[in-house]
Amino acid sequence: MSAFRTPRSHTDRLRNRIADGDMVRVAEEALRVMDSSRGTWGGGWEQVLDQLRDLPAERRRELLHALADRFGQAGDDTEDRCRHLALCGLVSEGLDDDPLAAERHRALDDLARRQTFWYAARFDVLARAELAAGRTLAAPVVAVVRRAALDAYRADDLTALARQLTDPVLNVGEAWAEQAMRDTTTPDWQALLRHLLTATASKPTAKWDKEARALLGMLGPDAVRERLLSWLTLVGRPRTLPLEPRAWEPDINSAYDPYNATALRGLAWLLSLLPPHPGTARALGALVETSLRKVAGIGPRNPKVANAGVVALARIDSEAALAELARLATRVTYKNTAKLLDTALEARATALGLSREEIEELAVPAYGLTEVGRATYRLGEATALLEVQGTRAVLGWRNAAGKPVKSVPAAVKRDHADELKELKTAVKDVDKMLSAQSERLDRQFLARRTWPYAVWRERYLDHPLVGTLARRLLWTIDGRTAGYADGELRTLADEPLPPGTRVELWHPVGHEPAEIVAWRDWLERHGITQPFKQAHREVYLLTDAERATRTYSNRFAAHVLRQHQFNSLAALRGWRNKLRLCVDDSAPPATRELPEWGLRAEYWIEGDGEEYGLDTTDSGTYLRLRTDQVRFYPVDAPENWAHCYGGEYAMWLRDGQDPVTPIPLEDIPPLVLSEVLRDVDLFVGVSSIGNDPTWQDGGPGGRFQEYWTSYGFGELNQSAETRRLLLERLVPRLAIADRCTLEGRFLHVKGDRHTYKIHLGSGNILRTPNDQYLCIVPKSDPSAPRTGYLPYEGDRMLAVILSKAMMLANDTKITDPSILSQL
């Protein structure tokens, strides 16, 4: 490459070469210009290019061939070759010579495998030259030009080129778009597809709706719904034409094509103009979740499409659409989409004269269940039984004689295919809603909700779907605790409890330990597995250390957490948090607002590390956090902020505000303190690096060795203590009970090769002799069979400990080479 020169110096040198009349030397100087400018022909470099364009046609033809003769100098680099071809294209405009047509065609083929290109490289010149030669651009090339034209730094001529490229209507490479183009061959359908591409605003305008309704009138709403829903089932599938990401690019093959994403927004809006249909609401809900799925290096796949799905659901006046909005509100953590969901639900609640909580309760559909957790369907001579078992819906079958059969009868597959499809869809819908409702109920402890008895029975205990969860929980009815067993609400003594007046969700805070243990025994006696920890819920009472610090708790300070996992958990539990970047910026702590109590909880955190790329993602986001205090303030107090690198938090005072002191912990209601600290314990227990069995070397530079060891084998936190108490009851019932003993922080397991100690907090393992560390990375398998009766769902670490114990008790049967090498 030549030394860098200014455009003016190149202009002077080129003028001299042109005056000499030697086009070979002009070509060499033009290539030096290209090297110096790196193909950027804008700004001052345009004057250099003008000199070449102003040459007479014959001289330009000589120059073109001289440049073509030197094409071999471009080497094998795609961008260098494309820049050389672009220079030839700029010189040859208006000429009929095309000596590098074959090379240009190959370069465009290479370009078609890119996500986009930098405009300054002028790859668009190659496309224009191809069109000028009378050839059409391949569909993948059209796609990359369109994507490049959407870039924020696009130039007008690139945008104009993209507008010229009207065929195909959508970009190839995505299954849904290709199917849509195959399905839209008539002019009216083509017009509909093109109309979808005009959905560029945040929500549809009256004009957009008017044009859409006219198209729907010509095509018919049922036909449009059927096709659009079939397209939506393909959204998010692997690309049909994989792209080749460059070293610095994120996972572009898992992202949406940004050009097609506009059409997806229009598709969502269009569905909201059709008559309400359960399939529409279901598909839009799936589109929202698919569009928010995380992609490496990008984040949520496409929030704009997700938001369009929410806008569409909010415009549909149906129970199914309301149910999807309510379900999504319990699942979505992306801030802007969550805000849209809140706004939609608040608007619906206001329109009906209800509270937000009431609208969420009423939004839960029965999904065809005719009694709590159960429905039967007659399909010919066979009977289908849809039944909720725990947190899953199961579809069973009986033949004409009423005898259970393992698989779907052949006659049902043959004669009732549509009904069978609907039943299988209902099973999936029930599974999704069960998960959402379980999470909603788990967050009710801080909602200060009470219900009139009759309302509670209708919306909870006797609701066909919610009842499967509510009947596994404990409730307080007019001050008396009750659980549901043997078809009735019963007291601790198993006496039926008559109807009452007011109902609230039971919480162990404020109850004597003996009573809590008695209710745990009651659940076990009746074989009830709670959907989440309630009777076994951890209780976090004020400690002497917290009385000494008065206004803050250090109980969960000095931990190292995986930031992205912490951020996701915090959002799921209703906390507001900002990812820490390794930049000169500040952020508030992780915050949970509790308006029902007039309080705001804060968990003080900071980014960990200094080395970009080692301690951060490629985008500069910290991989890990360090934790500090938990504090409480009035809900309307000014926020504290601290630098993302770390340092003291300070209250940000605006408009003459006065600082507000934190509230003493002894003034925080015990239920609030317990639930907030339980959340924080969950964040640490799940996202601490101490839980990762592969970090035995202490991580980057070994600097986390001391923390990893102290956490992975140290004192038990409150949730691990709860786990230990439960294991005391479970271990004697295990098939390997004679090989297991509980001692302090560990479950000891005697194998044939060694004896092992499994830490009850982290699940990490030490083996004899000399407490050597044994690394076993648990596999995530939600479908794995459960080990006997468990009193509650959701403790993954308990499942990990039990599965490791089962394996190590039979260590002579282990076949995994990575484990055997350590034994």
Side-chain angles (χ1 to χ4, degrees), residues 113-239:
R113 294 191 287 273
R114 297 277 185 87
Q115 165 74 357
T116 186
F117 59 83
W118 186 40
Y119 169 71
R122 297 305 302 270
F123 291 172
D124 59 306
V125 174
L126 278 62
R128 290 185 189 280
E130 194 76 355
L131 293 172
R135 288 186 287 271
T136 58
L137 297 179
V141 177
V142 171
V144 74
V145 171
R146 285 170 170 169
R147 290 192 292 266
L150 292 173
D151 190 274
Y153 300 100
R154 63 187 180 274
D156 291 342
D157 51 353
L158 180 57
T159 304
L161 172 61
R163 285 187 184 135
Q164 280 182 249
L165 305 175
T166 58
D167 185 42
V169 179
L170 300 177
N171 281 354
V172 296
E174 290 184 318
W176 83 265
E178 292 176 359
Q179 185 62 49
M181 289 187 286
R182 285 193 292 269
D183 289 344
T184 52
T185 55
T186 67
D188 288 345
W189 277 105
Q190 289 272 312
L192 181 88
L193 210 53
R194 294 188 190 283
H195 186 59
L196 298 183
L197 286 166
T198 64
T200 55
S202 59
K203 58 184 178 180
T205 63
K207 180 182 177 183
W208 195 94
D209 280 349
K210 182 179 179 181
E211 294 179 17
R213 284 193 174 96
L215 291 165
L216 289 173
M218 290 185 287
L219 295 167
D222 291 340
V224 171
R225 180 194 298 110
E226 183 180 355
R227 287 198 181 179
L228 266 57
L229 294 186
S230 71
W231 302 344
L232 283 181
T233 62
L234 303 175
V235 173
R237 291 196 179 181
R239 284 186 59 87

Side-chain angles (χ1 to χ4, degrees), residues 586-601:
S586 296
T591 301
R592 182 169 182 181
E593 294 182 350
L594 304 164
E596 301 88 351
W597 304 85
L599 296 171
R600 182 181 77 230

Side-chain angles (χ1 to χ4, degrees), residues 7-23 25-26 29-30 33 47-48 50-52 54-55 59:
R8 181 167 183 175
S9 64
H10 273 298
T11 301
D12 294 340
R13 288 169 60 86
L14 196 59
R15 184 181 297 112
N16 292 335
R17 298 289 180 263
I18 291 171
D20 293 341
D22 187 345
M23 289 299 105
R25 298 186 68 187
V26 171
E29 183 60 30
V33 172
Q47 298 174 11
V48 179
D50 286 345
Q51 292 186 79
L52 304 180
D54 289 342
L55 289 171
R59 307 305 298 278

Side-chain angles (χ1 to χ4, degrees), residues 576 580 586-591 600-604 629 631-633 637-643 648-653 659-662:
R576 178 167 46 88
R580 268 56 178 174
S586 296
T591 301
R600 182 181 77 230
E602 295 184 353
Y603 190 26
W604 289 10
Q629 304 171 7
R631 293 190 175 207
F632 291 86
Y633 289 86
E639 282 191 319
N640 289 299
W641 286 68
H643 200 283
E648 291 294 325
Y649 274 91
M651 194 162 276
W652 188 1
L653 303 176
V660 177
T661 57

Side-chain angles (χ1 to χ4, degrees), residues 374 378 381-385 396-405 407 409:
R374 185 183 175 91
R378 189 76 178 176
E381 294 185 348
T383 301
L385 174 63
W397 294 92
R398 294 180 182 274
N399 60 20
K403 183 180 178 180
V405 292
S407 59

Side-chain angles (χ1 to χ4, degrees), residues 802-819:
L802 288 173
S803 66
K804 287 182 176 180
M806 294 289 185
M807 176 190 294
L808 296 172
N810 297 285
D811 56 2
T812 56
K813 296 181 179 179
I814 294 174
T815 57
D816 187 306
S818 66
I819 300 175

